[in-house]
Amino acid sequence: MASWYRKKDSVPFETAELIVSGILPIVLIIVGTLGNMLCVIILLKKEHRQTSTNVYLIFLCTMDMLSLYQWNLRDALYQFTDGKLLITNQSLFLCIWHLFLAFYTLHTSAMFLTLIALDRACLLWSRWYKQKIARARIAFIFSIVIFLVLFGLDGFIFGLGFEYQVYDNSTATYITMIGCYYSMNMNLTNFFANQYAWIHLVIMYFIPFTVMFFCTIMTVRKLSVQQTFDNQQLANNAQRNRRISIMLLMMFLSYVIFTLPNRLCFSIFVDQLIDHDYSDTVFLSSNVLMYTRNALNVFLLYVSVYGFRRDVRRLLNKCYGKMRHRIVPQQGTRAEYIGTITMIRENGQQRIN
């Protein structure tokens, strides 16, 4: 598992690092939290949570929201305290849970995004899948299986981390230090540094890229065929499928664009990038770019899905008290006012005003 340690750089690079490891991570946390929470609130509505795709989307947004608080928060605190506060050095508990959640949330997010692409492709091509498998209850079961399998796969991280003491000559006392990415068991340390790096590569990149690529090709091929419908309801459903498929295509492209540079930096070009003034800037930028994808769900859904835009507007109107039933006057009618209908009682009779 490739890693690097931050150091003081020249002024231009320190300024760049203030932006990519201090300001931008906080922006991503705020925007991503609000956006993903909005997605979850809308998708949890009764009329939406009955579909398998939306069940996967709910879990995707939840895990994306949690993932934004891992390395982003660590880097921001480190930056704004000038390196004096590092979450993983505060306690062994924080060290282990931070490391576990960082990988666990990334892995579950990648798997749910893969499931969404697979689910939509199967819905378009398989009638049997649509009738038997594409159910909210079954999607929930699949989601629980994903959570359990990845927990078992990433759970060895709880065996990492240990405390040790070093003698400080200036204070003549022993200082407790934490080895966060290592274990007293050398086999576990070697597994994390070597085999787990490949596991992370497979879960985060090989499986999602391969499955989403082929599912996108199948979806585009299916929807590119011109179809005619005698029933308006079928035509509306087809149009809805196209919009959702466009959203999935945008998610796939954003996943590739925003996550691939991170893996290139930490797996392929790591030896060439380390020990330069720009090393910290490049590595931190790749991290911020990777987490940008986790904050984009609300924008992708809003742009590509009409029903989501409609529900967002309704929710915002309701929150700000702007939801009003209005009577819109038409030309040639006697309506003179736009407003709610009120009943005015005059002389024992009711009059509509």
Side-chain angles (χ1 to χ4, degrees), residues 60-315:
L60 172 68
C61 294
T62 302
M63 301 313 295
D64 280 348
M65 180 173 59
L66 292 176
S67 71
L68 291 170
Y69 287 87
Q70 308 312 315
W71 281 317
N72 279 326
L73 187 60
R74 180 202 64 178
D75 292 340
L77 290 176
Y78 183 92
Q79 182 67 43
F80 290 129
T81 60
D82 197 23
K84 297 178 181 178
L85 179 59
L86 188 62
I87 292 178
T88 53
N89 287 345
Q90 298 306 302
S91 70
L92 187 60
F93 175 83
L94 288 177
C95 158
I96 294 173
W97 274 100
H98 167 80
L99 190 60
F100 170 77
L101 288 175
F103 285 104
Y104 186 67
T105 53
L106 286 175
H107 291 167
T108 50
S109 174
M111 288 297 99
F112 282 122
L113 191 59
T114 305
L115 276 177
I116 292 170
L118 185 62
D119 180 69
R120 296 309 304 178
C122 291
L123 278 170
L124 292 174
W125 282 93
S126 174
R127 185 180 298 273
W128 174 83
Y129 180 88
K130 185 175 183 179
Q131 295 176 347
K132 301 295 184 180
I133 306 299
R135 296 289 182 269
R137 181 178 60 85
I138 297 179
F140 183 79
I141 294 174
F142 284 164
S143 301
I144 296 300
V145 171
I146 291 294
F147 280 124
L148 293 177
V149 170
L150 291 178
F151 186 87
L153 190 62
D154 297 330
F156 83 95
I157 293 176
F158 290 109
L160 296 176
F162 62 91
E163 294 180 343
Y164 62 97
Q165 292 184 330
V166 295
Y167 185 76
D168 188 353
N169 292 322
S170 62
T171 60
T173 58
Y174 284 94
I175 301 176
T176 300
M177 305 292 290
I178 297 175
C180 193
Y181 298 91
Y182 306 95
S183 171
M184 299 297 291
N185 185 339
M186 288 305 300
N187 291 329
L188 198 59
T189 300
N190 291 333
F191 176 79
F192 177 71
N194 300 305
Q195 287 85 357
Y196 188 67
W198 283 101
I199 293 174
H200 177 67
L201 196 65
V202 169
I203 296 176
M204 276 289 294
Y205 300 95
F206 288 165
I207 293 178
F209 281 13
T210 303
V211 174
M212 285 191 286
F213 175 77
F214 284 107
C215 287
T216 301
I217 295 297
M218 292 172 60
T219 301
V220 171
R221 181 183 174 187
K222 183 71 173 180
L223 296 178
S224 62
V225 178
Q226 294 294 332
Q227 299 178 1
T228 57
F229 301 96
D230 297 330
N231 189 304
Q232 184 61 36
Q233 181 64 35
L234 294 177
N236 292 337
N237 289 339
Q239 187 176 11
R240 176 177 175 273
N241 286 333
R242 289 191 182 92
R243 289 171 177 169
I244 295 177
S245 299
I246 291 173
M247 178 266 295
L248 296 178
L249 176 61
M250 294 168 62
M251 281 188 169
F252 169 64
L253 292 176
S254 65
Y255 188 82
V256 173
I257 293 171
F258 291 122
T259 62
L260 188 58
N262 179 269
R263 194 37 41 196
L264 292 176
C265 290
F266 282 94
S267 295
I268 298 179
F269 301 113
V270 60
D271 293 331
Q272 291 84 352
L273 291 174
I274 285 181
D275 295 330
H276 298 283
D277 284 343
Y278 57 78
S279 298
D280 291 349
T281 305
V282 173
F283 286 124
L284 291 168
S285 299
S286 70
N287 275 344
V288 170
L289 193 62
M290 178 181 66
Y291 280 110
T292 300
R293 203 282 310 165
N294 299 63
L296 290 179
N297 295 322
V298 65
F299 301 105
L300 297 178
L301 285 170
Y302 190 87
V303 169
S304 57
V305 182
Y306 168 76
F308 185 81
R309 292 197 298 271
R310 178 199 61 208
D311 289 340
V312 168
R313 296 190 190 105
R314 288 178 178 176
L315 181 61

